[in-house]
Amino acid sequence: MNGADTAWIIVATALVLMMTLPGLALFYGGLVRARNVLSVFMHCYAIACLMSILWFVAGYSIAFGGGDSGYWGGLDKLLLSGVTAESLSGTLPEILFFAFQMTFAIITPALIVGAYVERIGFGFVLLFSGLWMLLCYAPVVHWVWGGGMLADGGIFGETGVRDFAGGIVVHETAGIAALVLAVFLGARKNATTPPHNPGMVMMGAALLWVGWFGFNGGSQLAADGGAAMALTVTHISAATASLTWALWEKVKFGKASLVGMVTGTIAGLASITPASGFVGPVEALIIGAIAGVLCQEAVNLIRNTLKIDDTLDVFAVHGVGGIFGTVMIAVFGAGAWAAQLGSLVIVGVYTLVVTVVLVFVVRIITPLRVDEETEVNGLDLIVHGERAYDVSS
C-alpha cells in the first residue's frame, strides 16, 4: 500500500460524490421549473443511495470480480466477499478502490436524470436505474476497466480501448440511455419554459467542475505527475469550452447566457474525460475549443431538428462530448483507431439494446410517465408532498 496514493484517492472519492450530491442535483434542479425542483433533488439523492447499495451487493463484483470471462467479472465478490481492510488493488486498499468506483456507479445513472425530469414516475426512476446500473453500466466497466473484452489483450488485440476516466463507460452509456428514455417518454406538455433558477445552475456547474478534479485526476489511481496532468488538462478544457460556447451563442443569438456558459463547462469536462490521461495542455485546449461549439450544435440538432425532448440535453452534452473525446484520443495518436471506434460502436449498441429492453420491462411493473394532472401541477407537491418555495411564509 502507498500512503500518498491512498490519501489522494480518499479525497478524490469525496470529490466525485460531491459531483452528484450536491453538484448535479443543483445543476439539474435549477434548470427545471420551480414546481419540479424537489423531484430532481429526490431523483439524484435516491439514485445515490440505491446505487451505493447495489454496487456493494453485486455491481462491484460484476465489474471487477475475479472471473476469467471477458464479458463480466462474475459473482465471487458479492457483498464484498473476501475484501478486507488489508486487501490491495494495486497500491490502494481494495475497499478504497471499491468506494472510488462506487461514486462513478452513482453519477452515471444520475446523469440520465436530466433527460426525463418533470414527467417521469418516481418508481420507474428507481427500478430502471438500479437494473440499468447492474445490467448495462457494470458489464461495460468490466469490458473497459476490468480487463474485459475491450481492454488490452481483448478483441482488439494487444492495444485495447483507451478511456481514462469514462468517455465510453460513463458519458456514452448515460447519453444513449438518456436519449432512449426521452424518445419513449415523449415531450413535456410545456417544453419551452425557462430555467427557474440560473444561479442554482451556475453553483451546480461550479461544484461539478471542482469535483471533476477527483473524477479525472483520481482515475490515475496514484498521487503522481499523471494525476496532476489529468487535473490540469481537465481544467483547461473546461475553461476553453465555457468560452467557446458563450462566444458561439453571442455569434448566433447576439447574447451570451450564464446557463449557456456553464453548460459549455460541462461539455468541456465531458469531452476531456476519456482523454485526460493521454493528452497535454495544448491538446486539451483544442478539445475544449471544439467541444463548446460541437455540443451546442448537438443541442440544436436534438431539440429543433429531431424534436426530441431530452430535457436538459444529456445526450448532446455528455453523450456527444464523451464520444468526441474518445475519438480525439485516436486523432492525437494516443489510441488505436480500430479500438476507439469499435468500442464506441459495441458499447453504443449494447447500451441501446439493454435500455430499450429495460424500458419495456419496467413500465409493465410501474408507470413510465406521470398523469397529465401531476405534470401540470408539478411533481414536487403531487408526488412528494412538498414545495421548494413557500411564498406565504
Side-chain angles (χ1 to χ4, degrees), residues 163 166-168 170-173 175-176 212 237 241 245 263-275 287-288 290-296 298-299 313-329 344:
D163 181 8
I168 294 175
V170 175
H171 295 289
E172 185 192 17
T173 58
I176 290 174
W212 228 288
S237 178
W245 186 297
T263 304
T265 305
I266 306 306
L269 291 165
S271 297
I272 195 63
T273 289
I287 288 173
I290 297 172
V293 176
L294 175 66
C295 292
Q296 188 176 155
V299 169
D313 307 311
V314 181
F315 178 77
V317 175
H318 293 278
V320 171
I323 291 168
F324 165 64
T326 302
V327 172
M328 291 302 285
I329 294 171
L344 282 169

Side-chain angles (χ1 to χ4, degrees), residues 27-34 192-199 201 259 303 312:
F27 182 74
Y28 281 170
L31 287 167
V32 299
R33 289 177 289 180
T192 59
T193 52
H196 93 278
N197 193 333
V201 178
V259 169
R303 281 188 190 177
L312 308 182

Side-chain angles (χ1 to χ4, degrees), residues 95-109:
I95 192 67
L96 176 58
F97 179 73
F98 157 82
F100 180 66
Q101 290 295 335
M102 177 179 65
T103 60
F104 281 68
I106 288 169
I107 198 169
T108 306

Side-chain angles (χ1 to χ4, degrees), residues 142-190:
H142 181 74
W143 299 350
V144 178
W145 294 337
M149 66 176 184
L150 302 181
D152 293 351
I155 61 175
F156 294 111
E158 185 177 343
T159 302
V161 67
R162 296 289 179 260
D163 181 8
F164 188 70
I168 294 175
V169 174
V170 175
H171 295 289
E172 185 192 17
T173 58
I176 290 174
L179 196 64
V180 169
L181 278 169
V183 170
F184 273 99
L185 273 167
R188 291 163 291 165
K189 297 298 181 184
N190 187 349

Side-chain angles (χ1 to χ4, degrees), residues 281-362:
V282 174
E283 292 89 348
L285 190 77
I286 295 169
I287 288 173
I290 297 172
V293 176
L294 175 66
C295 292
Q296 188 176 155
E297 287 306 306
V299 169
N300 181 59
L301 174 67
I302 300 298
R303 281 188 190 177
N304 302 321
T305 304
L306 300 180
K307 306 294 184 184
I308 298 173
D309 189 14
D310 177 356
T311 314
L312 308 182
D313 307 311
V314 181
F315 178 77
V317 175
H318 293 278
V320 171
I323 291 168
F324 165 64
T326 302
V327 172
M328 291 302 285
I329 294 171
V331 170
F332 291 128
W337 278 100
Q340 299 305 110
L341 297 180
S343 296
L344 282 169
V345 171
I346 290 169
V347 172
V349 170
Y350 179 76
T351 303
L352 178 67
V353 171
V354 172
T355 305
V356 169
V357 170
L358 284 178
V359 171
F360 276 110
V361 171
V362 175

Side-chain angles (χ1 to χ4, degrees), residues 19-20 22-34 36-41 43-44 47 107-118 171 174-175 178 195-197 200-205 208 212 263 266 310-315 317-319:
M19 291 174 68
T20 304
L24 191 69
L26 289 169
F27 182 74
Y28 281 170
L31 287 167
V32 299
R33 289 177 289 180
N36 292 312
V37 61
L38 293 184
S39 71
V40 176
F41 289 172
H43 292 161
C44 292
I47 285 173
I107 198 169
T108 306
L111 289 174
I112 305 171
V113 168
Y116 54 61
V117 291
E118 301 197 302
H171 295 289
H196 93 278
N197 193 333
M200 185 184 291
V201 178
M202 188 284 293
M203 289 186 285
L208 282 164
W212 228 288
T263 304
I266 306 306
D310 177 356
T311 314
L312 308 182
D313 307 311
V314 181
F315 178 77
V317 175
H318 293 278

